Amino acid sequence: MDRKFREELKQMYQAPDPVGKDAFLQELEQKAQRSPEMSGISFLGFLGYQVPYISIWNWLLGASVFVLTLLSIRYADGKAVWAAASFVPFLALAAVSESGRSMQYGMDELELSARYCLKTVVTAKIFIMGISNLIVLLACILAVEAGNRTGIILNGITIMFPYLVTAFLNLWIVRKIHGKESIYVCLGVSAIVSGANVINGVIERFVLYDYLGTAGMLVLFLAAVLLTGRECIKFMRQSEEYVWN
């Protein structure tokens, strides 16, 4: 294209001067300064922003598990530990379901364009639900131990182990199966783990403990902790990979 012709085109189709450009840039800068993300929000501060977005049903479930444990101590003292162990898998289900809600409902791509990246939100939800569930689990363990002194270590393993197994399996399922179907599979797995503890309560035996003993159960418990933590890391990394896919 001839240079003279290009100059004539520039003059004919010259863009008008922007109106209010300086005011717009100044307002944008002020908003960025007021933004928690741009002002260097701390991790605890970010968690505080995320708490209101956690479904109220998760908090009610945690309270219900503790109340049901107290009732089982009063009315079924000898089997209270098995009752608590049969309730806690649903805490793990709720935590995984809340953390993976974006993926289950196909909103993960939309959330990638939000202020906070998907990985940050998922990490925050896992942390919030993990801490709240840990408080409920410890409260149940202490309550069972106070009502039935069979050993806090044994009671702790009996209650915590089903939670860890359910969390590990549900995290793996949510990573492998996308969409609403994953929550139904997770629900089935949680029900199976819960049912296994109900059977243990009926026969009044911890089958794994009979075979492995205290030392074996401690090793199995630590393995469950490590595997669940590893699965959490994979789950968060997968949410990060969505940005590049």
Side-chain angles (χ1 to χ4, degrees):
M1 184 182 293
D2 184 76
R3 181 176 180 182
K4 182 179 179 181
F5 184 61
R6 287 201 302 266
E7 293 295 332
E8 291 178 353
L9 285 177
K10 287 182 180 179
Q11 293 177 0
M12 292 177 59
Y13 298 101
Q14 187 175 6
D17 294 332
V19 179
K21 175 182 177 181
D22 294 336
F24 172 76
L25 292 176
Q26 185 177 3
E27 182 182 1
L28 188 64
E29 183 179 359
Q30 292 174 352
K31 288 183 177 179
Q33 291 174 352
R34 291 195 300 267
S35 170
E37 184 179 27
M38 297 299 293
S39 60
I41 183 174
S42 65
F43 181 65
L44 291 178
F46 179 69
L47 291 180
Y49 279 104
Q50 289 300 313
V51 169
Y53 295 100
I54 302 294
S55 173
I56 190 173
W57 294 109
N58 290 310
W59 309 120
L60 292 176
L61 177 62
S64 299
V65 167
F66 181 64
V67 171
L68 289 172
T69 300
L70 294 179
L71 292 175
S72 65
I73 294 171
R74 180 171 182 177
Y75 296 106
D77 188 22
K79 299 181 180 180
V81 65
W82 300 115
S86 65
F87 300 147
V88 296
F90 298 103
L91 281 178
L93 171 65
V96 174
S97 176
E98 181 66 36
S99 302
R101 189 194 300 179
S102 301
M103 303 174 196
Q104 292 163 10
Y105 290 93
M107 298 295 289
D108 44 322
E109 292 185 4
L110 180 62
E111 289 198 3
L112 291 175
S113 61
R115 176 188 296 177
Y116 302 106
C117 69
L118 183 60
K119 180 186 177 181
T120 305
V121 174
V122 168
T123 303
K125 287 184 175 181
I126 289 178
F127 187 85
I128 293 170
M129 296 302 301
I131 292 297
S132 62
N133 285 351
L134 181 61
I135 293 172
V136 175
L137 290 167
L138 291 176
C140 291
I141 292 170
L142 293 175
V144 170
E145 174 62 18
N148 183 15
R149 297 184 178 278
T150 56
I152 193 168
I153 294 179
L154 179 58
N155 287 332
I157 291 177
T158 304
I159 294 174
M160 290 285 290
F161 187 70
Y163 176 86
L164 292 170
V165 170
T166 308
F168 167 76
L169 293 174
N170 285 351
L171 284 168
W172 184 86
I173 290 168
V174 171
R175 282 200 310 110
K176 298 298 181 180
I177 304 175
H178 301 291
K180 293 182 180 180
E181 294 78 9
S182 63
I183 193 61
Y184 300 120
V185 180
C186 290
L187 179 59
V189 169
S190 302
I192 291 172
V193 176
S194 177
N197 285 281
V198 171
I199 294 173
N200 283 330
V202 171
I203 63 178
E204 297 185 353
R205 289 176 56 197
F206 195 173
V207 178
L208 285 176
Y209 184 81
D210 290 343
Y211 283 102
L212 300 177
T214 303
M217 282 304 304
L218 282 173
V219 172
L220 193 61
F221 175 77
L222 291 175
V225 172
L226 294 175
L227 288 173
T228 304
R230 181 168 172 265
E231 201 61 33
C232 282
I233 294 173
K234 286 185 176 181
F235 183 69
M236 290 184 288
R237 283 178 178 172
Q238 186 182 63
S239 65
E240 183 181 30
E241 288 172 1
Y242 289 137
V243 178
W244 304 104
N245 293 333

